């Protein structure tokens, strides 16, 4: 009887060991599968981050180009405005001078009469 009890105890412990070995191998496979999934997800995230960085860099370059174009346009408009103001002053002064000359000529003509 002791032999049977001992035999049953040994067989149950042997079965338990085999079950734990099977469980360990399943756990290893699960860990490997999770690990490969994590690596794939990490690579995907890195690709998305790189793409987002490239898009933001491109947007920043475009914004800088627009800012530069805006400042160039402002400078051009200011230069044009100054030119127009200068021309306006020249036209005004020319008109005044021509009026003065006309008056002087009229006075000379009147004196001759």
């Amino acid at each position: 009887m002791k032999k049977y009890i001992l035999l049953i105890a040994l067989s149950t412990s042997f079965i338990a060991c085999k079950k734990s070995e099977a469980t360990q191998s399943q756990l290893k496979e699960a860990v490997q599968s999770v690990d490969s999934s994590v690596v794939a997800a990490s690579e995907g995230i890195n690709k998305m981050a790189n793409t987002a960085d490239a898009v933001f860099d491109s947007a920043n370059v475009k914004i800088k180009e627009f800012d530069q174009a805006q400042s160039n346009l402002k400078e051009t408009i200011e230069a044009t405005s100054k030119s127009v103001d200068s021309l306006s002053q020249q036209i005004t002064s020319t008109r005044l001078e021509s009026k003065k000359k006309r008056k002087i000529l009229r006075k000379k003509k009147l004196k001759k009469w």
Side-chain angles (χ1 to χ4, degrees), residues 10-112:
L10 284 174
S11 64
T12 55
S13 65
F14 180 74
I15 291 171
C17 288
K18 286 294 181 182
K19 283 185 180 179
S20 71
E21 286 177 8
T23 305
Q24 285 177 355
S25 67
Q26 289 173 348
L27 285 175
K28 284 182 183 178
E29 289 175 9
V31 167
Q32 287 174 348
S33 125
V34 168
D35 188 40
S36 65
S37 297
V38 168
V39 167
S42 176
E43 289 174 358
I45 290 170
N46 286 337
K47 285 181 184 178
M48 286 190 295
N50 291 337
T51 304
D53 287 342
V55 167
F56 286 132
D57 289 343
S58 175
N60 284 334
V61 167
K62 296 273 186 192
I63 289 170
K64 287 179 182 177
E65 289 175 359
F66 285 135
D67 286 343
Q68 188 176 16
Q70 180 183 8
S71 65
N72 289 342
L73 285 173
K74 282 183 180 179
E75 290 173 5
T76 304
I77 289 171
E78 288 174 3
T80 305
S81 174
K82 287 178 183 177
S83 297
V84 168
D85 289 343
S86 173
L87 288 173
S88 172
Q89 288 175 355
Q90 288 177 355
I91 291 170
T92 304
S93 67
T94 304
R95 284 183 184 168
L96 289 175
E97 287 177 8
S98 66
K99 284 183 182 180
K100 287 179 184 177
K101 286 181 183 178
R102 284 184 200 160
K103 285 181 182 179
I104 292 172
L105 288 176
R106 282 185 192 162
K107 285 182 183 180
K108 284 183 181 180
K109 285 183 183 179
L110 288 175
K111 285 182 182 179
K112 285 184 182 180

Side-chain angles (χ1 to χ4, degrees), residues 1-11:
M1 184 80 150
K2 287 184 179 181
K3 288 182 183 180
Y4 290 117
I5 293 175
L6 188 58
L7 183 61
I8 291 173
L10 284 174
S11 64

